[in-house]
Amino acid sequence: MSFLNNLINGIGLGSVYAIIALGYTMVYGIAKMLNFAHGDVIMVGAYVCFFASSTYGLHPLVGVLLAMAVCTVLGVVIERLAYKPLRQAPSLAVLITAIGMSYFLQNAAQLLWTPNPKVFPAFFTLANPDGTSRTGVDLFGGQLTVRFTTIVNLLVCIVIMVLLTWFTGNTKMGKAMRACSENKDAARLMGIDVNFTISITFAIGSALAAIAGVLFLSSYQTLVPTTGSMPGIKAFTAAVFGGIGSIPGAFLGGVLLGVIEIMAGAYISTQLANAIVFAVLIITLLVRPAGLLGKQVREKV
Amino acid sequence: MKTLKNMSKTSKTNFATYGMVIVVFAVLQLLGSDLIQRGGVLSPTLKGQLVPICAYVVMALSLNLTVGVLGELSLGHAGFMSVGAFSGTVAATALQNVIPSPGARLLAAVVIGAVFATVAGILIGIPVLRLGGDYLAIVTLAFGQIIKSLIENLYVGMDVNGLHFDFLENKIALAQGGKMIVNGPMGIPSIQKLSSFTAGFLLIMAALFVIFNLTNSRSGRAIMALRDNRIAAESVGINVTKYKLMAFVTSAALAGAAGTLFALGQNTLVASKFDFNTSILVLVFVVLGGLGRMWGSIIAAAALTILPEALRQFADYRMLTYAIMLILVMLCTNNPTLKSFFSSLAAKVKGSAKKGKAKGGEGK
Amino acid sequence: MKKFLALTMAAVMSVSLLAGCGGNKDSGKLKIGGAGPLTGGAAIYGNAAKNGATIAAEEINAANPNGLQIELRYEDDTHDPEKSVNAYNTLKGWGMQVFLGSVTSAPGVATSVEANADHMFYLTPSASSTDVLGGVVNPLTGTVDVERKDTIFQMCFVDPNQGSASAQYIFDQKLGDKIAVIYKNDDVYSTGVFNSFDAKAKELGLNVVSVTTFTEDTQTDFSVQINDAKAAGADLLFLPMYYQPASLILAQSAAAGFAPKYFGIDGMDGILTLEGFDTSLAEGVMLLTPFNADSEDAATKSFVEKYQAAYGDAPNQFAADAYDCVYAIYQAATKTGVTADMSASDICDKLVAEFTSMTFNGLTGEGMTWAADGTVTKSPKGMVIKDGAYVGMD
């Protein structure tokens, strides 16, 4: 029973990583850049939703929509101001700019919203008959608990994954994105507006970040300006684990990463849980250099 | 004069780099000396930062060898620094009674730190260098995290019987008069400072010497050929693994030496100091200073280590200003439009100074 | 092009550095400096201490217009030992005469070495590790790993005292038959308290059934730790950590249907001030803390009101300890006739002598005294949270 409990908790944690990783992989797949500021966009989204629902008392759903709107604008503005001017520059220059952007967002958030932690409301609860509320369902007489957030995260994650796969595969915009990801110059020659396509990618990626932020914080409730940085790194790891650029890969990578982290902590050592996660990542990449579901690109000679 | 003219452009740059380091060292030594100090020329903050700056400069040089010369992105370089820092400090403490002279002990510690980092470099390099691009980057990131976790759970104690090691749980029983050197997550609680600015200067010179000699050798040209076109290099018979490993391990050894220098200039040391953020910080030095350009790394490392301190007058807005400056500098040096604007500006300034003798922009 | 930029940058920097120093202007006020994390992940603690100290300095200056005046300056150390020494050196360049120390432990270990070497008086509000003071026996190995640094004093309880006091308290009050512990493995404070708790628990024969850890990188999900404690049938969960991760553990335990008794230490204080925190989760949490923001005591009430008016939230133990630090220094300074034109070293001699002999009444305790080893003696208050407020446990 304890194994099942750990497995469920692992999937719960993993689904959060997966949602963040979807945004990462989307931007990486098309713009070919590691957007280190992604985790901080998540933080901004969470703050917007927090203020909307806690301070102004709006319905959580309105809060989520508002967060998505703010993050979309933020993502596009960041892209315009900081990344677009460097389209021709070496990828490392963009990487450093993204890191600068990440510092900027964290410090701006600290000035705007103080470093004092805010406790995010638990959105997914059911009222008990006695007036209290429940955050999960108990199975087998309380031996096994499944939190509602785990269920919601997993469902949202699957829906987003299916939608994104459909979008990139079947719409005109999606096809343009895939073309840009293959070869930007060739795409331009075919009449695709590369800059616009990349902007749309950032808009979608940032909207996903807002959703990820809300779901992440409703599972793990402490919200501070540095909230986004560690999940950002973990999600990046998850995206690479699953094969960066691959949408189902990000989902699989995220969930597996969460399960491994929890299992390693439960059965080996909580002190070394993080080290074990990264060791598994290294071994996987040595066996499958492009990640679990990544495309193995043959080298052109 | 003639020999100077006959020199290649690279050798000229190399000698200019040595010269720059020597001049800066001499000037700072003079400014920091007690004679002028009474006038308060060098702030206490900068004086305290001299050793860390030297360590970061060596780190930047070392990472530039991996990123700029070898052409592989490493996001876990702080891991090697950590290995060097902890092994070097333990060595320095253990050798306290064997080598009484602080200078000789520092040298021994730096060598030991470099050796341990070399071993780590080989262990990591052999499997990892088969990968490329962003996958290599993430694996180095992972190694950095693993090294941090391992050192966080390491316990080292010393007594008359020698060193005692333990992992995960501290079960070390020490004889009377013994003491713990590394205390797991609490790190090294007390360090006898051995590093000095002079030692840092010498280490920078040594690192430059190693790097310039490597890049100007046959091996160095092989490494750069690999960076520029791996397939072409392979087809003319260059052994990929050997040369990649050579550059990577040299870089790791230098990072280890930098780590020891850094640690022995600190009062206390915790493993979490050498985390992802430190790796990124060093990468920023390298990219800002220019890939493969050693003097650029030196200036960038020094400038960006001083910058957050120089920005203290901005109080609450300090780190925000730092972030904005970082973004702006990246934009200014990499955006084509801004770049040409600055080049023409530079040309104009130069032109007016030289009264029309300028030959256009300095551009890179 | 790049050369141009780099050179400009270097030039600007060196000018600003040279210009920034040497400003040892005599303002006629006693210059007290402090360092703490004002930005980054630990910023809540540093800012709380800074705010508390600021209120104390303002009160003192307003109350003694003709007496000794205080000038207070805080510098950011981002919870990094390396940066903390930079912050200390910056304060030294400003002309600091007394140091309020570092707010957090690892930076505190670094700055205490510098202050001791400079013979600068150092009173930290909250850097509670024994390595800050030096000269204290390591509870695990019985060795003294760091030499005593003579100018260093603490306002907070030293970690081992908290750990062993907690074990003793749990034993005396028979709070739990099966005890579980979760602590933060990469944190000097949390590990320090745990080590001494562990040593004392073994001595008393407490039944510790589950010990698990987390780190800075894994402080979001506590399901493994909670599951482990639950599976071991623990009825008391000891949480030697700061209140931010503790609040997550409380919420996640409740969600997992695990309801042990909770026991915290001074870092737990502040949990009720978290914005949006469901205080019913903390119902019944016991903690040892020197400060109670809900106290009816007049001094505390006035402090809490001022703090709320100025900073918008309730003060925690960091703020109260820093407030007390400034008052304690002021009391000792006026008693020994310290004036603003004395050197830091002379002031240090006077303050060290006075601190080891004086008694101080503050927000965090009545009749505090300091021993020559730098530790403070004050009685921790056993508190239990009832209806979202502290109530004395006895």
Side-chain angles (χ1 to χ4, degrees):
Chain A
M1 206 49 70
S2 142
F3 177 81
L4 265 183
N5 245 333
N6 285 325
L7 185 68
I8 289 170
N9 289 327
I11 293 174
L13 178 65
S15 59
V16 173
Y17 290 155
I19 280 185
I20 308 174
L22 282 171
Y24 245 111
T25 224
M26 181 89 189
V27 171
Y28 182 85
I30 285 123
K32 288 281 177 287
M33 67 163 287
L34 292 176
N35 184 13
F36 270 112
H38 193 76
D40 302 291
V41 177
I42 289 171
M43 175 268 299
V44 173
Y47 267 106
V48 171
C49 184
F50 173 82
F51 284 116
S53 55
S54 287
T55 313
Y56 297 102
L58 299 173
H59 190 272
L61 211 59
V62 182
V64 176
L65 290 175
L66 211 63
M68 284 172 72
V70 171
C71 285
T72 308
V73 173
L74 182 69
V76 173
V77 168
I78 290 177
E79 200 269 335
R80 270 290 144 83
L81 289 182
Y83 304 155
K84 195 177 160 214
L86 297 177
R87 202 80 88 214
Q88 311 302 329
S91 63
L92 268 179
V94 194
L95 182 78
I96 303 297
T97 315
I99 290 163
M101 202 34 107
S102 159
Y103 289 164
F104 175 81
L105 289 177
Q106 277 181 26
N107 285 292
Q110 198 203 317
L111 287 172
L112 277 176
W113 300 313
T114 78
N116 294 351
K118 314 235 178 299
V119 179
F120 210 76
F123 285 144
F124 309 109
T125 52
L126 276 185
N128 279 341
D130 59 358
T132 56
S133 59
R134 278 180 296 159
T135 54
V137 279
D138 291 336
L139 303 171
F140 307 109
Q143 287 188 53
L144 195 63
T145 313
V146 183
R147 295 176 68 190
F148 294 134
T149 50
T150 304
I151 302 170
V152 174
N153 285 351
L154 210 56
L155 286 179
V156 172
C157 211
I158 291 170
V159 168
I160 291 176
M161 181 180 69
V162 171
L163 277 179
L164 277 184
T165 314
W166 171 81
F167 178 77
T168 50
N170 297 300
T171 62
K172 209 170 169 187
M173 195 66 221
K175 284 177 187 164
M177 282 177 179
R178 282 191 298 148
C180 288
S181 126
E182 287 290 330
N183 188 332
K184 287 197 186 59
D185 294 320
R188 192 175 288 116
L189 290 175
M190 299 309 288
I192 293 171
D193 186 344
V194 173
N195 277 331
F196 180 70
T197 311
I198 291 181
S199 290
I200 292 292
T201 310
F202 267 90
I204 297 176
S206 307
L208 286 182
I211 301 177
V214 174
L215 291 179
F216 174 62
L217 265 304
S218 52
S219 308
Y220 306 108
Q221 296 167 323
T222 311
L223 176 56
V224 284
T226 48
T227 287
S229 55
M230 198 57 212
I233 296 174
K234 286 273 176 71
F236 169 48
T237 313
V240 177
F241 191 43
I244 195 155
S246 152
I247 291 169
F251 176 73
L252 186 68
V255 172
L256 278 181
L257 198 75
V259 172
I260 295 169
E261 186 176 325
I262 297 289
M263 290 296 174
Y267 296 105
I268 304 176
S269 152
T270 40
Q271 266 135 298
L272 294 176
N274 227 20
I276 292 164
V277 169
F278 285 108
V280 171
L281 172 84
I282 292 172
I283 293 166
T284 313
L285 285 183
L286 290 179
V287 181
R288 289 190 62 88
L292 293 174
L293 300 182
K295 242 192 314 184
Q296 308 283 343
V297 186
R298 295 279 300 276
E299 224 167 344
K300 290 186 202 112
V301 179
Chain B
M1 245 4 243
K2 214 171 188 183
T3 44
L4 197 69
K5 250 183 193 164
N6 290 340
M7 262 191 212
S8 70
K9 195 169 170 248
T10 354
S11 326
K12 269 188 211 160
T13 318
N14 292 357
F15 278 106
T17 311
Y18 284 127
M20 175 181 87
V21 175
I22 294 173
V23 168
V24 171
F25 171 71
V27 169
L28 283 176
Q29 260 322 27
L30 204 68
L31 287 178
S33 68
D34 288 336
L35 212 98
I36 311 181
Q37 184 53 27
R38 261 171 242 140
V41 182
L42 220 54
S43 70
T45 319
L46 185 61
K47 269 190 110 173
Q49 276 196 297
L50 289 176
V51 171
I53 288 174
C54 290
Y56 285 126
V57 164
V58 177
M59 275 304 285
L61 291 173
S62 137
L63 187 64
N64 206 340
L65 188 60
T66 304
V67 181
V69 178
L70 176 62
E72 296 290 2
L73 179 57
S74 166
L75 293 178
H77 223 58
F80 296 123
M81 193 180 180
S82 185
V83 170
F86 279 85
S87 56
T89 312
V90 170
T93 318
L95 293 174
Q96 214 155 6
N97 301 323
V98 185
I99 311 175
S101 147
R105 190 140 40 95
L106 175 65
L107 181 67
V110 167
V111 170
I112 291 172
V115 168
F116 271 84
T118 307
V119 174
I122 294 172
L123 286 180
I124 293 168
I126 289 174
V128 155
L129 289 171
R130 293 172 37 201
L131 300 168
D134 295 327
Y135 293 97
L136 179 81
I138 189 88
V139 170
T140 50
L141 186 158
F143 266 113
Q145 296 278 348
I146 292 176
I147 290 175
K148 188 179 96 175
S149 286
L150 293 183
I151 293 184
E152 250 161 24
N153 290 297
L154 177 74
Y155 295 86
V156 183
M158 187 181 73
D159 61 7
V160 285
N161 301 321
L163 290 173
H164 301 259
F165 296 88
D166 209 338
F167 190 65
L168 273 181
E169 230 180 308
N170 185 5
K171 294 204 197 80
I172 299 175
L174 291 175
Q176 193 68 37
K179 66 172 195 164
M180 293 299 295
I181 305 175
V182 183
N183 235 334
M186 294 154 93
I188 305 179
S190 128
I191 297 172
Q192 194 199 353
K193 277 192 190 177
L194 294 176
S195 298
S196 61
F197 184 38
T198 313
F201 161 73
L202 291 175
L203 189 64
I204 294 177
M205 294 300 279
L208 282 174
F209 183 75
V210 168
I211 291 172
F212 286 152
N213 274 296
L214 179 66
T215 47
N216 284 334
S217 69
R218 199 183 155 80
S219 311
R221 285 187 290 275
I223 292 166
M224 284 183 277
L226 280 174
R227 170 193 67 190
D228 294 335
N229 192 330
R230 191 175 62 81
I231 295 167
E234 228 176 338
S235 68
V236 295
I238 292 176
N239 182 339
V240 178
T241 318
K242 179 185 156 192
Y243 287 108
K244 272 192 168 182
L245 202 60
M246 184 188 282
F248 191 72
V249 169
T250 311
S251 165
L254 289 176
T260 309
L261 178 80
F262 176 83
L264 291 176
Q266 296 285 306
N267 297 324
T268 177
L269 199 66
V270 282
S272 51
K273 167 77 195 168
F274 305 103
D275 60 357
F276 178 63
N277 288 329
T278 306
S279 295
I280 289 291
L281 186 72
V282 179
L283 183 66
V284 172
F285 299 156
V286 171
V287 177
L288 199 65
L291 296 183
R293 202 189 285 126
M294 297 303 156
W295 61 264
S297 290
I298 297 176
I299 293 181
L304 282 191
T305 311
I306 298 171
L307 184 64
E309 300 306 319
L311 290 176
R312 280 195 187 275
Q313 49 196 313
F314 289 92
D316 289 350
Y317 297 92
R318 182 169 78 107
M319 294 316 284
L320 196 72
T321 321
Y322 177 76
I324 294 173
M325 285 181 79
L326 190 62
I327 296 172
L328 285 182
V329 170
M330 288 320 291
L331 288 182
C332 291
T333 49
N334 286 291
N335 180 266
T337 327
L338 286 171
K339 218 155 104 174
S340 58
F341 169 73
F342 277 110
S343 320
S344 62
L345 196 74
K348 264 182 207 156
V349 173
K350 221 176 178 179
S352 60
K354 287 193 178 175
K355 302 213 166 152
K357 241 192 126 190
K359 281 191 277 174
E362 197 185 320
K364 78 153 224 201
Chain C
M1 175 32 239
K2 244 179 194 170
K3 201 193 276 175
F4 170 73
L5 233 146
L7 291 178
T8 325
M9 218 159 127
V12 168
M13 212 93 63
S14 44
V15 168
S16 74
L17 266 171
L18 294 178
C21 64
N24 200 354
K25 277 167 268 149
D26 193 20
S27 58
K29 292 179 177 176
L30 183 68
K31 289 182 168 176
I32 301 181
L38 305 180
T39 61
I44 29 171
Y45 315 120
N47 280 296
K50 180 188 173 188
N51 295 344
T54 307
I55 291 182
E58 280 166 2
E59 280 179 7
I60 287 171
N61 286 344
N64 308 286
N66 301 319
L68 181 64
Q69 293 270 304
I70 293 176
E71 192 173 351
L72 181 75
R73 178 166 160 186
Y74 254 83
E75 286 295 340
D76 184 15
D77 67 17
T78 64
H79 190 43
D80 177 341
E82 181 199 345
K83 301 287 184 309
S84 71
V85 173
N86 294 343
Y88 173 80
N89 283 334
T90 305
L91 289 167
K92 221 169 76 178
W94 165 65
M96 169 171 69
Q97 290 158 298
V98 179
F99 189 38
L100 270 185
S102 296
V103 173
T104 46
S105 282
V109 178
T111 50
S112 58
V113 176
E114 300 290 327
N116 190 45
D118 291 338
H119 205 64
M120 167 90 65
F121 186 76
Y122 182 117
L123 177 66
T124 169
S126 48
S128 50
S129 160
T130 49
D131 294 336
V132 175
L133 301 171
V136 181
V137 175
N138 183 333
L140 286 181
T141 56
T143 52
V144 176
D145 303 328
V146 184
E147 303 277 304
R148 165 75 182 131
K149 302 163 217 172
D150 294 317
T151 67
I152 316 298
F153 289 81
Q154 283 172 334
M155 178 56 80
C156 51
F157 301 116
V158 69
D159 294 340
N161 289 357
Q162 293 207 57
S164 52
S166 300
Q168 189 71 49
Y169 201 92
I170 291 168
F171 178 78
D172 290 344
Q173 310 279 327
K174 298 194 177 43
L175 293 174
D177 296 325
K178 291 181 173 179
I179 299 161
V181 188
I182 303 177
Y183 72 98
K184 188 172 180 180
N185 180 48
D186 61 351
D187 184 55
V188 172
Y189 165 71
S190 192
T191 319
V193 176
F194 169 72
N195 285 344
S196 62
F197 174 85
D198 197 36
K200 187 78 179 178
K202 283 192 182 114
E203 182 192 318
L204 296 171
L206 288 176
N207 184 16
V208 177
V209 291
S210 158
V211 176
T212 47
T213 65
F214 62 99
T215 64
E216 184 72 32
D217 297 342
T218 56
Q219 59 176 343
T220 42
D221 191 290
F222 293 96
S223 56
V224 170
Q225 292 86 341
I226 291 167
N227 257 341
D228 196 80
K230 192 180 171 188
D235 57 0
L236 181 85
L237 186 52
F238 178 50
L239 302 175
M241 62 183 74
Y242 290 141
Y243 58 90
Q244 194 184 333
S247 70
L248 279 167
I249 292 179
L250 293 180
Q252 291 178 23
S253 292
F258 180 47
K261 283 184 264 181
Y262 296 98
F263 199 92
I265 47 171
D266 63 357
M268 181 76 94
D269 178 51
I271 195 160
L272 296 175
T273 64
L274 280 172
E275 189 173 349
F277 182 68
D278 177 6
T279 50
S280 70
L281 286 173
E283 191 67 22
V285 170
M286 292 167 277
L287 67 161
L288 289 182
T289 174
F291 175 66
N292 174 8
D294 299 322
S295 160
E296 292 300 310
D297 166 54
T300 309
K301 266 189 147 171
S302 134
F303 172 65
V304 172
E305 268 167 29
K306 275 186 194 151
Y307 195 97
Q308 253 158 350
Y311 306 108
D313 49 9
N316 55 20
Q317 162 254 140
F318 288 90
D321 274 327
Y323 178 90
D324 275 359
C325 278
V326 175
Y327 266 101
I329 289 171
Y330 192 76
Q331 179 185 323
T334 42
K335 176 89 182 294
T336 53
V338 166
T339 55
D341 53 7
M342 283 184 184
S343 76
S345 176
D346 293 345
I347 296 176
C348 183
D349 284 332
K350 286 179 184 286
L351 291 186
V352 169
E354 178 64 18
F355 259 74
T356 45
S357 59
M358 74 177 193
T359 310
F360 174 72
N361 297 323
L363 299 179
T364 61
E366 295 284 311
M368 287 180 227
T369 54
W370 280 266
D373 64 6
T375 53
V376 64
T377 305
K378 54 184 177 184
S379 48
K381 296 168 190 153
M383 294 283 170
V384 62
I385 295 174
K386 273 208 182 101
D387 300 323
Y390 291 145
V391 182
M393 232 184 318
D394 309 306

